Amino acid sequence: MANHSLSPDIKEINSKRRWPNIIGAFMLGVLITACNSDNSEETTEEIPDSSGPNSEACKSAENTTQVTDAGVEYMVTPEACFDSLPGYEFAANYAEIDGLSMHYVDVGPVDGDVVLLLHGQPSWSYLYRKMIPILAEAGYRVIAPDNIGMGKSDKPVDVTIHQFEQHVAWTKAFIDKLQLTNINLFVHDWGSLFGLRIAGEMSHHIARLVVANGTLPIIPPGKNPHIYPSFELDESLGDAATFFASRSSDQVEGFQQWIDYASSVPELLAGDVVQVLTVYQLTDEEISAYNAPYPSIDYKAAIRAFPAMFVDIEMQNIIAWQTLGAFHNPFMFNAGEFDRGLGSEENQQKWIEHVPGSDGNDHRRFLAGHFIQEDVGEELAIHLLNFLRTTTPEEPLRAGGPSFNFRYCEILLSYQDGSSITAEIWGTPGVNYCPQAQWEALDLSDIAAEYDALSAIPNGPRFFVVDENLGGDIILPSPDDEYRLFGELEMRLLTSVDLTDSQGEDVAYVPGKVLRDNTWLFYEGRRVYELTDINGQVYIMQSFSRLEDDNLQMDDLKNLGARLNLPEGWTFRSRILNDPLQVSAMDGIAMVLKDDLGNSYQLVP
């Protein structure tokens, strides 16, 4: 167990704070972008020194290129560049990832609970220097890696190697290399794009999750508006202050201008970027420390290329987003008041509402800019310590498949067919994610009248509990699908259901025959939810609904039995699978029923 005895004095910390960076605070007020994580510069005067980033040994170092076995060319920043950095006296550790050395700080008890700190662009582990000692002295093993291409890590010289998926893979490989489990993950800036993706795909390794000014973008296919830059240096580009003063306030255009500027400006100084996006004034030595890894432009491929990585982001983060929507372990989102992009109240609230593990936690807004660790590092560390001490992780969450926690809606249009009553099932899977405003705007009476139906029955929003849909077309559309627009909400015809036994109504605990030829797959380690009827037949939940309870979350389902009005002789249970489970339709028909909250279950043959 970690020793949680440290209790620093916040008043003493506040008394040592430097004067505010008024220009930086003002600039933060106008930086509003979807991924406003990495912007801006101003020139600083070099400070002569016998060591460190301004030393002759650092500036005169040969730009020697090395090559990995896979043919990747890279450079290594001379160690002299890192001498005498204020506040950064941590021993260097290195992990080999794809033939490249990835540097990381590793302090605190080796058997302490792990706190993993991920940074973004253009910072490096120096950003966490104020937080690391506080966490380590409290008994945690604190690990802060430098992204490949940044800090003390090796620096591939080809800008095109710095792709979003590549950095996600490198960060995953780092976690695997160190065999990290039960991770308390703290993510910021591009570190949040990598970290939230990894948290969703390696959720069984995550004990707690904390975001500080971050997000996980998801863009419909073909809708990413940004263009990859040429990376040709443009000597006509002015300094950062001039750039940001003239940058467009339009969200898309402004970020494209940042992509182009970062890739082409001859002098991209990391320290100046941090300073402009920080409320409080950094010292010249601290600014130089952020510049230390990059003695010349040859070392700057990563910090030049990171903004351009946004160009390739579309739907690859959707599975992680869906899994995090079921993440029940403790979650916290902290924001800097002056970061109106990633730290905006809207973005903060989106994540608080999405992740069920956020309930009851102290999500704060600090008097800080985008680089919140620089402005309020000590306070943030203390706040993080309190979160770690007062929350308790539950069972690990098995990372989800493509269907897990997938949001959708359906409308059932019922019709008389001789002595039978059938319903067409129209739904959003494969079309959209059922935007709440469009769903709430539907007039079901008008819909029934328009299509001459006995009734239009709403069914949603719903969320799949299954991991994968094998051999069917429930989620993936086909060229032969029929589409309709209900209000402003587009749906496609999914299948039909026999409602004869329930007299045309969607009645709880009455099975209906659904035409379906697919198999539901539940992963090993998945928690499942089952109804057993009076005859001993077992029905397993395939999706849960917010039709009756707007706030129902995946994590609430394990205690669902106490809320259900079960028929006499029926039982509900929840269990964790020791092996994968497949549930198939029989001869093209699945027997499906709902409970009184609208959650749907399929008969297990």
Side-chain angles (χ1 to χ4, degrees):
M1 291 293 291
N3 178 9
H4 299 162
S5 61
L6 186 66
S7 186
D9 192 323
I10 297 179
K11 290 182 180 179
E12 179 181 355
I13 290 170
N14 286 338
S15 70
K16 295 179 180 179
R17 184 176 282 165
R18 295 183 293 275
W19 287 102
N21 171 18
I22 302 301
I23 294 177
F26 171 76
M27 292 303 299
L28 280 164
V30 297
L31 300 182
I32 306 174
T33 70
C35 187
N36 186 16
S37 56
D38 26 295
N39 308 319
S40 164
E41 322 181 13
E42 62 185 31
T43 56
T44 61
E45 182 180 351
E46 291 188 355
I47 303 171
D49 197 348
S50 59
S51 62
N54 296 302
S55 69
E56 288 303 318
C58 175
K59 292 188 288 185
S60 64
E62 288 189 31
N63 296 340
T64 303
T65 301
Q66 302 181 49
V67 184
T68 69
D69 291 341
V72 175
E73 292 185 287
Y74 67 94
M75 300 178 66
V76 180
T77 303
E79 190 60 36
C81 297
F82 299 106
D83 290 343
S84 304
L85 301 186
Y88 192 86
E89 298 177 353
F90 309 113
N93 303 274
Y94 294 92
E96 183 176 321
I97 308 294
D98 288 350
L100 298 166
S101 290
M102 189 168 182
H103 168 263
Y104 62 101
V105 174
D106 188 349
V107 296
V110 294
D111 59 347
D113 294 342
V114 172
V115 177
L116 179 61
L117 309 171
L118 299 184
H119 73 88
Q121 184 264 4
S123 61
W124 55 291
S125 55
Y126 186 77
L127 179 68
Y128 286 107
R129 70 193 182 282
K130 300 176 184 179
M131 298 179 64
I132 291 171
I134 294 174
L135 297 168
E137 290 174 28
Y140 291 91
R141 181 188 176 190
V142 188
I143 300 173
D146 292 336
N147 292 323
I148 296 290
M150 299 182 186
K152 292 187 174 185
S153 293
D154 288 349
K155 297 172 177 64
V157 298
D158 182 358
V159 292
T160 64
I161 200 172
H162 295 288
Q163 303 292 331
F164 177 67
E165 293 300 323
Q166 180 63 79
H167 278 275
V168 170
W170 278 334
T171 309
K172 282 184 175 180
F174 174 80
I175 291 172
D176 288 339
K177 189 85 172 183
L178 270 63
Q179 299 182 341
L180 303 180
T181 58
N182 297 318
I183 302 167
N184 297 296
L185 181 61
F186 185 103
V187 300
H188 169 259
D189 186 77
W190 277 96
S192 72
L193 275 68
F194 307 150
L196 290 170
R197 167 73 172 274
I198 291 167
E201 294 182 346
M202 302 175 69
S203 54
H204 54 295
H205 286 323
I206 309 300
R208 298 175 182 85
L209 178 59
V210 180
V211 181
N213 294 339
T215 196
L216 185 66
I218 298 168
I219 303 174
K223 300 296 184 181
N224 192 315
H226 299 296
I227 301 171
Y228 202 70
S230 66
F231 287 98
E232 295 180 3
L233 294 181
D234 184 350
E235 298 291 342
S236 70
L237 293 175
D239 60 23
T242 302
F243 167 72
F244 283 109
S246 61
R247 193 178 75 155
S248 173
S249 60
D250 178 78
Q251 196 169 5
V252 173
E253 184 180 1
F255 192 70
Q256 183 65 53
Q257 289 172 345
W258 168 240
I259 290 173
D260 296 337
Y261 180 83
S263 66
S264 299
V265 66
E267 288 281 358
L268 182 60
L269 301 177
D272 295 343
V273 175
V274 175
Q275 178 62 96
V276 173
L277 296 182
T278 300
V279 173
Y280 290 92
Q281 188 68 41
L282 277 66
T283 66
D284 291 338
E285 291 82 1
E286 288 171 327
I287 292 173
S288 293
Y290 280 109
N291 294 331
Y294 319 108
S296 73
I297 194 170
D298 301 294
Y299 297 83
K300 296 183 180 182
I303 64 172
R304 294 176 64 209
F306 259 53
M309 295 196 309
F310 200 78
V311 173
D312 293 324
I313 294 177
E314 289 190 340
M315 298 297 292
Q316 61 264 56
N317 297 324
I318 188 64
I319 296 176
W321 164 262
Q322 291 170 188
T323 298
L324 292 174
F327 187 81
H328 49 252
N329 277 342
F331 172 83
M332 182 170 63
F333 192 115
N334 297 303
E337 283 281 359
F338 293 100
D339 183 342
R340 299 187 183 180
L342 299 180
S344 68
E345 289 188 60
E346 179 183 10
N347 186 49
Q348 184 182 37
Q349 193 59 35
K350 177 187 77 173
W351 280 97
I352 292 172
E353 292 175 357
H354 182 63
V355 182
S358 65
D359 291 351
N361 295 323
D362 187 5
H363 311 277
R364 288 191 185 176
R365 301 189 60 77
F366 289 88
L367 183 62
H370 175 68
F371 291 99
I372 188 172
Q373 304 93 324
E374 193 62 61
D375 283 325
V376 292
E378 294 93 343
E379 293 95 324
L380 190 59
I382 294 167
H383 185 50
L384 175 58
L385 274 182
N386 186 61
F387 171 74
L388 297 173
R389 292 166 174 166
T390 59
T391 56
T392 303
E394 300 180 23
E395 66 196 34
L397 174 64
R398 177 68 166 84
S403 299
F404 183 70
N405 211 33
F406 181 99
R407 177 188 167 106
Y408 68 102
C409 296
E410 294 175 340
I411 293 176
L412 280 63
L413 298 180
S414 62
Y415 297 92
Q416 189 77 41
D417 183 14
S419 60
S420 301
I421 300 176
T422 61
E424 298 174 349
I425 301 179
W426 294 80
T428 60
V431 184
N432 56 63
Y433 295 98
C434 186
Q436 188 66 25
Q438 294 179 14
W439 175 252
E440 292 177 349
L442 295 180
D443 188 318
L444 297 170
S445 297
D446 286 351
I447 291 172
E450 180 178 358
Y451 295 105
D452 296 323
L454 297 175
S455 62
I457 304 170
N459 187 21
R462 309 191 65 80
F463 299 81
F464 281 120
V465 179
V466 303
D467 286 293
E468 294 187 35
N469 172 46
L470 306 177
D473 58 0
I474 302 299
I475 292 180
L476 296 179
S478 72
D480 299 328
D481 284 339
E482 182 180 351
Y483 291 81
R484 282 181 183 172
L485 200 61
F486 297 92
E488 296 182 356
L489 186 59
E490 188 176 19
M491 293 185 170
R492 65 186 180 96
L493 182 60
L494 300 177
T495 185
S496 63
V497 59
D498 187 336
L499 297 180
T500 305
D501 290 343
S502 57
Q503 301 299 307
E505 299 294 331
D506 202 13
V507 179
Y509 304 108
V510 177
K513 297 179 180 179
V514 177
L515 297 179
R516 183 184 292 162
D517 191 20
N518 72 308
T519 296
W520 299 123
L521 172 62
F522 299 83
Y523 290 164
E524 176 185 352
R526 174 70 62 232
R527 180 176 284 279
V528 296
Y529 316 94
E530 298 171 332
L531 289 174
T532 303
D533 68 12
I534 195 170
N535 297 313
Q537 296 185 108
V538 177
Y539 294 79
I540 191 165
M541 186 183 292
Q542 62 187 28
S543 66
F544 75 89
S545 170
R546 289 187 180 154
L547 189 61
E548 300 295 334
D549 182 351
D550 293 340
N551 298 313
L552 191 66
Q553 298 272 12
M554 184 84 71
D555 196 43
D556 298 327
L557 301 177
K558 58 189 173 185
N559 300 315
L560 193 64
R563 301 182 58 187
L564 299 179
N565 296 312
L566 295 172
E568 185 175 355
W570 288 53
T571 59
F572 173 90
R573 76 161 178 166
S574 169
R575 64 188 177 95
I576 295 177
L577 297 174
N578 294 321
D579 299 291
L581 173 65
Q582 295 188 16
V583 179
S584 301
M586 298 295 291
D587 298 323
I589 295 176
M591 297 301 296
V592 176
L593 60 78
K594 293 182 180 178
D595 62 28
D596 43 293
L597 292 179
N599 308 307
S600 63
Y601 305 73
Q602 180 169 318
L603 179 65
V604 179

